[in-house]
Amino acid sequence: MNPVRVIERKRDGHENSREELEFIVRAATNLSAGLMSEPQLAAWCMAVVWRGMSAAETATLTLAMAQSGDRVDLAGLPKPWVDKHSTGGVGDKTTLVLLPMLAACGLTCVKMSGRGLGKTGGTIDKLESIPGFQTALSIDSLVAQANQIGLALTGQTPNLTPADGTLYALRDVTGTVKSIPLIASSVLSKKIAGGAEVISIDLKCGSGAFMQTHEEARELGDCMLGIARELDLHLGIEITDMDQPLGSAVGNLIEVQEAIETLSGGGPARFRELVIELCASMLVTAGVALSHAAAMTQARASLDDGTAHQKAHAWFLAQGASVSLQEITALPLAPIKNEIKATQSGWIKRIDAGVVGEVVVDLGGGRRSKGDTIHPGVGVRVQKAVGDPVAAGEVVFEVYAAHDPTEAAQQLTRAIEYSPTEVAPRPVVMERLA
């Protein structure tokens, strides 16, 4: 097959055939074979950015990438087999609460998570702030643990969808990351390779998310649904608010502590509402609950009756945590604490999630490049949400820093907008796609 002709077909607005797409995936899986060079693969990615892909093309690419490396075999584990994915956000500790909730409701959850890069924190970084917690499990260990307690999580391995790893690395350095079909196929190929039959997508939109607008998020969601129809996947998608931080805590250890607080029946109201909504959606999509109302009741009960907390305890213990959930909530944060107070009275009109995320990265809680070291104890606690009343001098942010937080305080002061008149709270779930 002539790689130049394959690129030219997409460049000129034609569909690539199944054979051509499988050829591209084989080339990306094994660059040393010389089927296509890195510049040729990058050129094809750019052609996709300009010309797009049909639903059939995107589904073919997704399945070929899922089959390009190891597959997790969940045969013999209790069904349904589920996974969730968030497109990333500021303060997004959803996985830490949602997985125990799903397991408590009888679903089998096997998840592979990544590290954070930029302002959107990674689940693996959060879990590694827990003393002893092991984030690298073999596939055999992953399956055995899921069989025992109903859930298991590991970091991504190079043998899972290796073609996607190659293509993403090229997209990252050639300005071709922001392509709807390439994003959708990247996300869902990993979920299929991980063995999931039912998938929940928490699709963030706003200043703290990759998709900045509701329209962009809906376009990505519709693309994913197109793949699901082609491949007969059970997929539920919630478009959720990321124009303000999710919950109160933004950081690593501080987010784990807030997740445990939520598993214990407390936690910020908007965050609790989101995890209950996501759990309920998964129960309906998986066919475990017959209605959304019944699913909401079941999801809420898993938090209120302590069963999700028990699953989290078993999960952390199984993956090597050397401290209990209660002891984790008492672990110290970074030593320098600074309070940022409201400059006027009124109502909170906006809290720029993107700015809050950048502040945490600057404090050492995130990374600009893959080699950066994370400081697990730094972070920001957001004491207000959009729509809350506020009085001048009232604390709106708490900063936990390892060095002078003056610049962080200045940035956070600019991140908040006030209104002299009442402001309606923002809905945490903006739209539900199915």
Side-chain angles (χ1 to χ4, degrees):
M1 190 169 289
N2 185 333
V4 176
R5 295 298 295 274
V6 172
I7 297 166
E8 288 175 342
R9 279 182 59 78
K10 180 50 61 182
R11 180 202 65 190
D12 296 338
H14 303 296
E15 288 193 20
N16 286 128
S17 68
R18 177 180 299 275
E19 291 76 18
E20 288 171 335
L21 291 167
E22 290 175 348
F23 171 76
I24 290 167
V25 169
R26 288 198 304 276
T29 302
N30 186 8
L31 287 171
S32 63
L35 298 177
M36 293 180 74
S37 66
E38 288 189 348
Q40 287 173 326
L41 288 167
W44 178 79
C45 290
M46 184 62 77
V48 171
V49 171
W50 281 101
R51 293 295 191 173
M53 299 179 79
S54 69
E57 279 182 293
T58 311
T60 298
L61 177 65
T62 300
L63 187 58
M65 289 199 299
Q67 295 172 337
S68 67
D70 292 340
R71 301 281 299 270
V72 179
D73 183 4
L74 301 180
L77 272 64
K79 288 194 173 189
W81 305 330
V82 303
D83 197 356
K84 60 81 64 175
H85 176 79
S86 168
T87 54
V90 176
D92 184 10
K93 73 286 294 179
T94 308
T95 292
L96 307 183
V97 179
L98 183 58
L99 261 61
M101 291 176 68
L102 294 171
C105 292
L107 284 66
T108 299
C109 313
V110 173
K111 179 166 176 55
M112 298 192 184
S113 290
R115 299 185 182 280
L117 185 61
K119 63 189 177 187
T120 57
T123 298
I124 294 298
D125 298 315
K126 302 183 206 305
L127 290 170
E128 287 183 346
S129 70
I130 301 169
F133 197 102
Q134 300 298 312
T135 59
L137 300 182
S138 68
I139 289 178
D140 287 345
S141 298
L142 196 71
V143 173
Q145 180 178 310
N147 189 42
Q148 182 180 13
I149 64 172
L151 76 158
L153 179 145
T154 188
Q156 293 173 353
T157 70
N159 293 327
L160 185 81
T161 62
D164 175 64
T166 298
L167 291 175
Y168 190 89
L170 291 173
R171 289 163 56 206
D172 193 36
V173 296
T174 57
T176 54
V177 169
K178 203 165 186 177
S179 160
I180 295 295
L182 294 181
I183 293 169
S185 60
S186 175
V187 169
L188 292 182
S189 65
K190 289 191 278 286
K191 300 305 169 189
I192 295 169
E197 295 180 330
V198 183
I199 303 166
S200 172
I201 303 293
D202 179 8
L203 211 171
K204 306 289 190 188
C205 74
S207 66
F210 187 68
M211 312 309 290
Q212 297 277 296
T213 68
H214 196 157
E215 291 71 25
E216 287 180 327
R218 186 185 292 120
E219 184 181 359
L220 177 57
D222 288 342
C223 182
M224 290 181 170
L225 289 175
I227 296 171
R229 283 190 288 269
E230 292 282 339
L231 300 182
D232 196 27
L233 293 172
H234 298 283
L235 185 66
I237 301 175
E238 274 73 33
I239 298 177
T240 64
D241 178 38
M242 190 37 69
D243 219 35
Q244 63 180 317
L246 179 58
S248 299
V250 184
N252 288 294
L253 177 58
I254 193 172
E255 287 189 43
V256 175
Q257 291 173 337
E258 184 165 275
I260 294 171
E261 180 187 356
T262 305
L263 285 162
S264 302
R270 290 182 87 252
F271 177 57
R272 177 183 163 89
E273 177 187 351
L274 177 62
V275 293
I276 290 172
E277 288 276 2
L278 291 175
C279 183
S281 175
M282 180 72 89
L283 292 172
V284 172
T285 305
V288 173
L290 297 181
S291 70
H292 185 72
M296 289 287 286
T297 298
Q298 188 176 357
R300 193 176 291 111
S302 73
L303 290 177
D304 294 341
D305 65 15
T307 53
H309 187 278
Q310 292 167 10
K311 284 292 183 181
H313 172 76
W315 172 27
F316 284 22
L317 188 65
Q319 295 201 213
S322 59
V323 290
S324 68
L325 299 189
Q326 184 176 358
E327 288 170 328
I328 292 170
T329 62
L331 291 173
L333 299 173
I336 303 173
K337 181 180 177 182
N338 190 22
E339 294 180 339
I340 292 88
K341 298 179 180 179
T343 57
Q344 58 187 277
S345 297
W347 283 264
I348 302 297
K349 180 179 180 180
R350 186 168 189 244
I351 302 173
D352 192 322
V355 172
V356 177
E358 293 288 350
V359 166
V360 172
V361 173
D362 290 342
L363 291 171
R367 48 175 73 83
R368 299 290 184 191
S369 61
K370 291 183 179 180
D372 290 350
T373 300
I374 293 285
H375 190 308
V378 304
V380 171
R381 183 169 281 118
V382 186
Q383 300 286 44
K384 294 288 183 179
V386 171
D388 285 352
V390 63
E394 191 176 357
V395 175
V396 288
F397 297 107
E398 293 175 352
V399 178
Y400 296 87
H403 54 74
D404 183 3
T406 300
E407 185 176 346
Q410 293 171 348
Q411 289 180 273
L412 289 172
T413 299
R414 293 193 294 268
I416 194 163
E417 294 181 31
Y418 303 89
S419 170
T421 57
E422 190 171 355
V423 176
R426 291 179 61 86
V428 67
V429 177
M430 303 170 69
E431 185 176 5
R432 190 173 290 113
L433 306 177

